[in-house]
Amino acid sequence: MSLLAPAINAARTIGPEVNLTPYAAGDGLPVFITPLDPRLASDLDYAVAWLRDREAAVDAYLYEVGAVVLRGFASHDTHGFGAAIDHYPDMPHGYTGGASPRSAIEGRVFEATRAPAEAKLMFHQEMAYLPNYPSKLAFFCNVPATTGGATLIADVRRFDEAVDPKFRAQIKQRGVRYTRNFRPPDRS
């Protein structure tokens, strides 16, 4: 799937105040959205209003390509990030049922997993084992890692297309069962 055509269409609907750049020419995700208007990079209230006004266009583009990265906007700290995502609906049950212990930093902004720095997190769909999983995720980096620290993302739609149709049919026929064993809160 070429991302060039959607980028051109999205630029028309999102606006001339930003630049859209695919991760790799014609392929891959995410698409980076960066401000061309200096107010989007320096004025939090202006940037938040701009994002709210273009929510439908950004969401349509997100649906088309699978992931977007807002880079260089005026959400330079936890408070700014919270303001930038505040117009999106909250999950009805919050982070309840997540596999990794997390605490709220401010409002709906949670810390990352508490896994040790040397741990590698495998590709997964966030909370997909729950009946009500998040339809969107937003990540923010307040303190970049000096080395590594990348958050990998993948398009599960492409993964699904690559799965042998016979195997997919077997899963559909037999079903899937998830078993989770929870530790007591004092052993997290």
Side-chain angles (χ1 to χ4, degrees):
M1 166 174 70
S2 171
L3 294 181
L4 189 55
I8 292 167
N9 292 333
R12 288 186 192 121
T13 57
I14 291 177
E17 305 89 355
V18 295
N19 186 42
L20 286 85
T21 309
Y23 174 73
D27 192 31
L29 60 87
V31 168
F32 297 90
I33 302 176
T34 54
L36 295 173
D37 182 334
R39 293 175 296 175
L40 290 173
S42 61
D43 183 334
L44 178 61
D45 293 334
Y46 183 80
V48 167
W50 187 92
L51 288 167
R52 285 178 196 227
D53 290 346
R54 285 151 185 86
E55 177 181 353
V58 171
D59 284 357
Y61 195 59
L62 173 64
Y63 177 77
E64 173 119 20
V65 299
V68 297
V69 173
L70 302 173
R71 183 167 281 167
F73 284 79
S75 53
H76 304 292
D77 57 20
T78 302
H79 174 75
F81 176 68
I85 64 167
D86 193 48
H87 63 283
Y88 282 99
D90 197 5
M91 285 188 53
H93 305 291
Y95 188 72
T96 304
S100 176
R102 295 180 186 174
S103 296
I105 297 173
E106 180 182 319
R108 294 170 41 206
V109 179
F110 282 76
E111 64 187 352
T113 182
R114 293 184 192 164
E118 64 275 4
K120 292 191 180 216
L121 302 181
M122 303 307 290
F123 167 66
H124 64 282
Q125 290 179 272
E126 187 67 24
M127 301 170 77
Y129 48 81
L130 295 175
N132 298 306
Y133 50 86
S135 63
K136 296 179 189 82
L137 295 175
F139 301 95
F140 171 73
C141 180
N142 199 23
V143 180
T146 54
T147 61
T151 298
L152 301 177
I153 57 175
D155 191 342
V156 79
R157 298 171 298 186
R158 289 186 181 181
F159 173 80
D160 188 53
E161 290 170 1
V163 171
D164 182 338
K166 291 178 187 175
F167 179 66
R168 198 177 313 119
Q170 287 178 339
I171 291 174
K172 189 173 184 176
Q173 176 190 8
R174 295 178 183 180
V176 175
R177 178 179 180 176
Y178 294 99
T179 302
R180 300 258 332 264
N181 296 306
F182 293 94
R183 296 183 198 156
D186 62 332
R187 290 188 52 215
S188 58

